């Protein structure tokens, strides 16, 4: 079984590394949602250590997303995302400290909505690229020019 687990982890790493930048952002949102769901489940099971670990992993992802924002190119959108990431961070910390599920659920909803938007944008760019390879509508190296990833 360890060999299968290693192979799956390797495949996932390769898939993320070769994905277009927009897909990488959606993968980060997926990861944050995954860890927040783990935090909720751990909280409900009264496993405080697991809740804290999962919350910290989600916080790390949000911190990374905030850190790759490009304020020069992204302008108001980047600033709005920064404020939203700050709000999510506050709500996750409140959920963890107060041992409440509702703030986790709120952040999961916000992340899911953002993820859907990035996914639609990624599909749009991929569709345009298939129609006209090398066209100007290819995914930017800096997604939407609001991120430096």
């Amino acid at each position: 079984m360890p060999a299968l687990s290693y192979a799956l982890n390797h495949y996932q790493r390769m898939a993320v590394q070769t994905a277009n930048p927009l897909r990488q952002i959606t993968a980060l949102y997926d990861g944050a949602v995954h860890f927040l769901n783990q935090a909720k489940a751990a909280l409900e099971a009264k496993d405080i250590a697991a809740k804290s670990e999962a919350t910290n992993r989600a916080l790390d992802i949000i911190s990374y997303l905030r850190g790759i924002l490009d304020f020069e190119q992204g302008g108001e959108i980047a600033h709005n995302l920064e404020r939203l990431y700050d709000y999510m961070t506050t709500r996750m910390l409140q959920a963890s400290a107060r041992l409440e599920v509702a703030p986790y659920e709120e952040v999961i909803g916000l992340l899911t909505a953002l993820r859907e938007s990035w996914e639609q944008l990624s599909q749009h760019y991929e569709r345009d690229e298939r129609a006209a390879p090398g066209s100007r509508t290819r995914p930017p190296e800096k997604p939407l020019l609001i991120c430096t990833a």
Side-chain angles (χ1 to χ4, degrees):
M1 217 44 157
L4 178 60
S5 177
Y6 173 79
L8 288 173
N9 285 336
H10 179 72
Y11 174 79
Q12 288 174 330
R13 276 195 311 276
M14 291 304 295
V16 168
Q17 290 171 355
T18 59
N20 78 47
L22 301 174
R23 290 263 183 225
Q24 291 174 5
I25 298 297
T26 61
L28 288 166
Y29 286 133
D30 288 341
V33 168
H34 170 77
F35 290 122
L36 290 174
N37 280 319
Q38 282 185 342
K40 278 179 33 183
L43 180 57
E44 290 166 350
K46 300 193 184 328
D47 184 346
I48 302 306
K51 181 261 319 162
S52 296
E53 176 65 24
T55 301
N56 287 339
R57 305 250 342 240
L59 285 166
D60 287 345
I61 292 171
I62 299 302
S63 178
Y64 177 78
L65 287 165
R66 187 179 185 276
I68 62 172
L69 291 171
D70 185 336
F71 296 101
E72 285 184 32
Q73 298 293 320
E76 185 179 345
I77 294 171
H79 286 286
N80 289 340
L81 280 172
E82 178 185 42
R83 285 189 290 277
L84 188 56
Y85 293 151
D86 286 345
Y87 176 77
M88 289 181 200
T89 298
T90 299
R91 293 299 285 158
M92 285 187 279
L93 292 171
Q94 288 172 344
S96 185
R98 296 177 184 167
L99 304 177
E100 296 175 348
V101 171
Y104 285 130
E105 291 172 343
E106 178 185 6
V107 175
I108 288 168
L110 292 169
L111 288 168
T112 300
L114 283 171
R115 188 227 182 269
E116 289 172 6
S117 296
W118 283 94
E119 177 66 25
Q120 289 175 1
L121 186 60
S122 179
Q123 289 175 3
H124 170 76
Y125 281 123
E126 288 173 356
R127 188 173 42 252
D128 286 354
E129 179 63 19
R130 282 190 304 272
S135 71
R136 291 179 12 170
T137 60
R138 285 185 37 224
E141 296 211 8
K142 296 179 183 177
L144 289 186
L145 300 178
I146 59 172
C147 297
T148 57

